[in-house]
Amino acid sequence: MNQKLTFGEVTPKFKIKKGNGKFKETVAKLSRGLMLPIAMLPVAGLALGIGSTIHSQSSIIPVQTIGSVLMLTGNIIFAILPLLFAIAVAITFTKDAGTAGLSAVVGYFVFLLLQTALIISPHGNDPNYHFLWYNFTPEKFNAIFTNSFGVNTLSTSVFGGILVGGVVAYLYNKFKDIQLHYSIAFFSGVRFIPIVTFGTMIVFSMLFAIVWPLVGQGLFYLGEGLQYSGQYGGVNSLVYGIINRALVPFGMHHVVNTMLWFTNIGGQFDTNMHIFKNGIDLGTAFSVAGDTASSKITGDINMQIYFTRLIGSHEINNVKYIITIQDIIISSKTSGVTIAPGQYTNFAYVFGLLGLSGSALGMLYAAPKGEGRKQAAAIVIPGAIVSSLTGVSEAIEFTFLFLAPWLFWCFHAVLAGIGGMITTSLIYYAPSIAPHVTFSFAQGALDFVVYGVIPDVRGGGTHCWMLLLMSIIYFPIYFGVFYWAIKKWNLSTPGRGGTKLFTKADWVKEQAKEKVITNKTLLLREKSKEVIKAYGGPNNILNIDACITKLRIQVKDKSLVKSERLKELGALGVTHPSVQSVYAVFGNEADLIKNQMKDIIARGEYEDADQPQTTKMKN
């Protein structure tokens, strides 16, 4: 007898050890922290993409200047990304403490500049670089070191930033309440944090100087190994695509993404490399891009962002050349390096542009005509539009994740990996049609136009049409599988019975029975009070966090959490990733509700007697 599947709660079937749950909570919090700097990339990416286009296509000096301003201001965000990660991690693990963020800035620069002081450049008849007891040829030096903030340092990329932020967070939590001798009492408490950070980072930087040259070479070879496996049917992108989607429900995919998008595990590009066009040496990449200094670019996204400055029309020695991504790849092979831009970014466009819209259409047509289909349309159509337009796919993914996890992990995740496998294979075996489209926020139509269509119009050879074609093919596949699965197993998708998903209109109508709420902010605040109540009240809540679509709440006693009430309040589903964590998917409202919950509890506004009395709605 088949057990009827319902839309809603997912609870682990195995007993979770406390240690394992704590680890998951830490990783989830780290993932949330990583999203802070990543959230800054959309505006920076748009400025860089649009600025590069204006600068390369216009011959009017004032217009070129505007393009340069946009390009450089956008590029600076990517240049300081490790510092942003240090600040984000520090404040994430210290309950958003500003002092921790300031200390992270101090710590990161101490961390970098001590390494710089240890570098002895080639001099006299010695062509090598010296760093402690290490000796590096110029080629090895360029592989392990980079130019950061105008100085040469170890290429720790965002790894260094994340670790510095973690150390600062530890120091803050340990010493924030320290009481010093009365003669130096001014430096007690949080004022002591920048001081202890300064000293600690000297030791921390020395440890990095000793160990990281070896680690850096290991990461370089790991990246080379992933690239090598990509040549055999895109194995690396297949595995990454599956892992990327499989970790989405736990919010841990950002950790893996960060390594491949921003570090040399995802590939690296030396801007000292010469660019060739039809066998003609156009000079080094950094000189073609108009930079005044060279540096090493690490990570799939960082490389492709840099390539947006190289592709298109350039005038070199009074001759105009149109540089394509294929020219850059060929030039890298001439230099003895293989790069595959897009191997970790292309795959999500395949299911994000139109694929998931097919699943939404399948759920819509599987709902009975009339009221059922109206209910389904109100839920799945907005999710499909958001996925296609912005690339934020969680809204539609969570609609079926909680209903049929096997449909998410065994079908959707695998199909995502297959999309990456195909696009990466094309890079190696059919470069004339291989797509190379990066993004700054998420793989939706907006980024597709900025990083695919516009560069292609400039002659950059992104071949974005291939991703659109694959997404068009994915659309009927998703539609067919979802429609068939829902009908065969009688799944309770939106509009087909089961737990009703409340819309904002439902909430307003219910609250109007007791009092009139016309102010949108007031409505959200009242709703947030109800969410607090559903989590067992302030005394049961240990920590309040949120990502783009989920409330991430840690509680003392999960038995006090009313999952059904959370779904009545608009949660698309509830998960229990660890012994103390209860996540509720509220879509784009999640972060707003988090802020309201924190403010309500901080102000002491929560009182059971003040809560709006609601009656559970039935279908």
Side-chain angles (χ1 to χ4, degrees):
M1 179 177 178
N2 292 331
Q3 183 179 2
K4 184 178 179 182
L5 297 171
T6 59
F7 183 90
E9 190 168 359
V10 176
T11 306
K13 295 182 180 179
F14 51 88
K15 188 175 181 181
I16 304 176
K17 296 180 180 180
K18 287 188 177 182
N20 186 35
K22 188 174 183 179
F23 171 76
K24 285 185 176 181
E25 290 170 10
T26 301
V27 174
K29 184 176 286 190
L30 173 62
S31 179
R32 176 245 178 183
L34 298 181
M35 277 303 296
L36 291 175
I38 291 175
M40 301 177 66
L41 299 185
V43 175
L46 287 172
L48 182 57
I50 295 172
S52 299
T53 301
I54 293 174
H55 183 267
S56 64
Q57 295 299 305
S58 178
S59 59
I60 304 173
I61 299 300
V63 176
Q64 284 186 339
T65 302
I66 294 174
S68 296
V69 170
L70 289 173
M71 183 174 62
L72 294 175
T73 53
N75 191 54
I76 191 62
I77 298 299
F78 292 93
I80 66 173
L81 206 52
L83 174 60
L84 297 180
F85 272 97
I87 297 171
V89 171
I91 64 176
T92 296
F93 285 91
T94 57
K95 297 183 179 179
D96 298 344
T99 303
L102 175 63
S103 300
V105 175
V106 173
Y108 187 72
F109 279 105
V110 172
F111 172 76
L112 287 185
L113 295 176
L114 186 141
Q115 296 167 12
T116 300
L118 297 176
I119 298 173
I120 301 176
S121 299
H123 59 281
N125 295 324
D126 186 356
N128 294 330
Y129 288 84
H130 300 273
F131 186 79
L132 295 179
W133 50 82
Y134 296 102
N135 295 320
F136 300 109
T137 63
E139 291 75 18
K140 284 188 177 181
F141 182 83
N142 289 332
I144 301 173
F145 291 78
T146 189
N147 187 282
S148 182
F149 293 96
V151 295
N152 287 323
T153 65
L154 285 167
S155 180
T156 57
S157 189
V158 297
F159 277 133
I162 291 171
L163 291 174
V164 168
V167 171
V168 171
Y170 171 80
L171 295 173
Y172 178 91
N173 292 325
K174 184 175 181 62
F175 295 110
K176 62 183 173 64
D177 296 320
I178 191 172
Q179 296 182 7
L180 301 175
H181 187 269
Y182 71 91
S183 62
I184 53 173
F186 174 79
F187 298 105
S188 297
V190 295
R191 285 188 287 271
F192 182 69
I193 307 305
I195 299 173
V196 71
T197 297
F198 185 93
T200 302
M201 278 303 134
I202 293 177
V203 177
F204 188 67
S205 184
M206 282 299 301
L207 291 175
F208 251 75
I210 295 170
V211 176
W212 195 259
L214 300 175
V215 175
Q217 292 185 73
L219 292 176
F220 173 79
Y221 291 125
L222 176 59
E224 288 284 295
L226 289 175
Q227 294 258 106
Y228 184 77
S229 67
Q231 301 178 50
Y232 293 90
V235 173
N236 59 337
S237 298
L238 170 67
V239 174
Y240 167 65
I242 293 174
I243 292 176
N244 174 274
R245 289 296 96 188
L247 291 178
V248 163
F250 309 103
M252 298 179 186
H253 56 303
H254 299 302
V255 178
V256 179
N257 292 345
T258 298
M259 292 189 294
L260 294 173
W261 291 349
F262 304 116
T263 76
N264 48 3
I265 295 179
Q268 61 181 1
F269 178 80
D270 189 347
T271 60
N272 282 304
M273 187 191 82
H274 284 248
I275 302 295
F276 293 89
K277 179 70 177 181
N278 298 328
I280 301 174
D281 188 347
L282 303 182
T284 59
F286 78 88
S287 63
V288 173
D291 293 336
T292 56
S294 63
S295 143
K296 185 164 77 278
I297 312 299
T298 58
D300 197 23
I301 283 185
N302 283 339
M303 286 195 301
Q304 292 193 86
I305 291 293
Y306 188 80
F307 294 162
T308 62
R309 301 169 59 188
L310 291 176
I311 62 177
S313 178
H314 292 269
E315 186 172 310
I316 302 172
N317 296 327
N318 298 321
V319 179
K320 282 195 173 183
Y321 296 92
I322 295 180
I323 300 175
T324 68
I325 289 183
Q326 288 70 39
D327 292 326
I328 299 172
I329 295 175
I330 293 172
S331 299
S332 71
K333 291 180 179 179
T334 303
S335 302
V337 180
T338 300
I339 59 174
Q343 59 185 334
Y344 301 120
T345 57
N346 284 328
F347 82 103
Y349 280 112
V350 177
F351 66 80
L353 288 175
L354 291 173
L356 283 172
S357 295
S359 69
L361 191 65
M363 288 186 280
L364 180 63
Y365 272 84
K369 293 182 179 179
E371 187 63 28
R373 192 161 292 181
K374 288 181 180 179
Q375 290 181 8
I379 296 168
V380 301
I381 290 179
I385 292 174
V386 169
S387 174
S388 295
L389 188 62
T390 70
V392 178
S393 56
E394 283 90 340
I396 191 67
E397 286 174 324
F398 288 145
T399 303
F400 60 88
L401 165 65
F402 300 107
L403 166 69
W406 54 269
L407 200 57
F408 183 91
W409 280 300
C410 299
F411 170 71
H412 174 52
V414 171
L415 221 58
I418 291 174
M421 178 183 69
I422 294 173
T423 55
T424 298
S425 296
L426 291 175
I427 294 174
Y428 290 102
Y429 298 115
S432 61
I433 59 172
H436 305 278
V437 183
T438 188
F439 68 98
S440 60
F441 176 59
Q443 291 97 321
L446 295 177
D447 277 286
F448 182 75
V449 171
V450 172
Y451 294 104
V453 177
I454 293 177
D456 238 355
V457 171
R458 292 165 51 192
T462 62
H463 300 150
C464 60
W465 57 269
M466 176 56 71
L467 294 179
L468 182 59
L469 176 61
M470 290 180 64
S471 194
I472 291 173
I473 295 173
Y474 265 44
F475 181 87
I477 295 175
Y478 270 85
F479 171 79
V481 169
F482 272 77
Y483 184 81
W484 168 78
I486 292 168
K487 289 290 190 179
K488 181 174 179 60
W489 284 287
N490 191 30
L491 302 179
S492 300
T493 48
R496 288 176 55 83
T499 303
K500 181 181 177 182
L501 305 181
F502 274 37
T503 65
K504 188 177 294 185
D506 294 326
W507 172 259
V508 174
K509 183 178 179 181
E510 186 68 15
Q511 298 307 306
K513 294 178 181 179
E514 299 295 329
K515 57 183 177 179
V516 178
I517 301 178
T518 56
N519 183 278
K520 189 175 181 180
T521 302
L522 180 59
L523 169 62
L524 183 64
R525 198 164 187 86
E526 294 298 322
K527 180 175 181 177
S528 301
K529 288 181 180 179
E530 282 291 292
V531 172
I532 294 173
K533 187 175 183 179
Y535 271 105
N539 292 333
N540 193 45
I541 296 174
L542 295 173
N543 188 56
I544 301 173
D545 262 334
C547 63
I548 295 176
T549 55
K550 295 188 292 290
L551 274 179
R552 298 180 172 189
I553 310 297
Q554 279 77 50
V555 296
K556 295 178 182 177
D557 185 356
K558 288 206 296 187
S559 66
L560 299 179
V561 179
K562 297 178 176 61
S563 298
E564 289 302 316
R565 181 60 182 145
L566 288 170
K567 285 180 276 182
E568 287 180 1
L569 293 168
L572 295 177
V574 181
T575 61
H576 299 254
S578 71
V579 291
Q580 288 186 316
S581 296
V582 182
Y583 294 174
V585 183
F586 277 96
N588 293 332
E589 277 192 332
D591 197 59
L592 298 175
I593 294 175
K594 176 205 73 174
N595 294 335
Q596 291 287 344
M597 289 174 67
K598 285 186 173 182
D599 191 58
I600 289 168
I601 293 175
R603 292 173 180 269
E605 293 182 11
Y606 180 90
E607 294 180 13
D608 287 343
D610 293 337
Q611 301 312 303
Q613 302 298 313
T614 59
T615 303
K616 183 177 179 181
M617 293 185 181
K618 297 181 179 180
N619 292 329

